Amino acid sequence: MTISSVNTGAHRVSRSATIAAPVGELFEMVADPHRHAELDGSGTVHDTVSGPSRLAKGEKFSVKMKMYGLGYRITSRVTDFDEGRVVEWRHPLGHRWRWEFTPLSPEQTLVTETFDYGAAGSSRTKVYELLGFPKQNAAGIESTLRGLQTRYS
């Protein structure tokens, strides 16, 4: 089970993995915010979600989260949605989470997940780095992708 680091530019943490599942099945999981807890390898996303059962550009959804032992709720807005290919949302603090899907065969998909903290603005990027979010989120992304590989192996 290989997870690859992908250079997607400054202030972005991206990892890719080949998953033995059709692109449509994987895309539907990410496009449904009520299933995000199933995906999450970081342990921060809970299954208490409000919002649509299927995302689209401009949609908002709220998720109960927990970090450093503290529970909170965030509402994100979908900033990019390309059917079968891309789902991206913006966190209230400005960073973005992006999922990209590339079919390799009818039963294999290259999945790339990106934490784009540069989108939060230059003043926040330093804070994110001081708090260790790039490294922490890289580990969470790797765990998420490894979980998908295991689930579909």
Side-chain angles (χ1 to χ4, degrees), residues 1-6 13-20 26 29-30 38-42 97-101 109-115 137-153:
M1 289 197 241
T2 303
I3 308 290
S4 301
S5 180
V6 180
V13 176
S14 299
R15 302 290 186 269
S16 289
T18 299
I19 312 297
L26 296 167
M29 189 181 305
V30 176
E38 277 180 62
L39 289 166
D40 178 46
S42 71
W97 288 97
R98 183 177 182 87
W99 289 78
E100 297 173 275
F101 303 88
T109 304
L110 180 67
V111 177
T112 303
E113 183 182 1
T114 300
F115 166 61
N137 286 327
I141 290 169
E142 290 170 14
S143 180
T144 296
L145 293 173
R146 219 173 273 109
L148 283 173
Q149 286 177 322
T150 300
R151 180 180 185 155
Y152 291 100
S153 62

Side-chain angles (χ1 to χ4, degrees), residues 4 8 25-26 33-34 45 49-50 53 59-60 67 80 82 85 94 121-122 141 145-146:
S4 301
T8 52
E25 186 172 335
L26 296 167
H34 300 272
V45 179
V49 176
S50 62
S53 59
E59 291 281 359
K60 288 183 179 181
M67 187 182 289
D80 194 2
D82 183 4
R85 297 194 171 279
S122 60
I141 290 169
L145 293 173
R146 219 173 273 109

Side-chain angles (χ1 to χ4, degrees), residues 71-91:
Y72 60 99
R73 178 174 282 283
I74 62 157
T75 299
S76 297
R77 179 183 295 274
V78 178
T79 53
D80 194 2
F81 190 93
D82 183 4
E83 186 66 43
R85 297 194 171 279
V86 174
V87 179
E88 178 187 84
W89 58 85
R90 183 181 186 274
H91 185 279

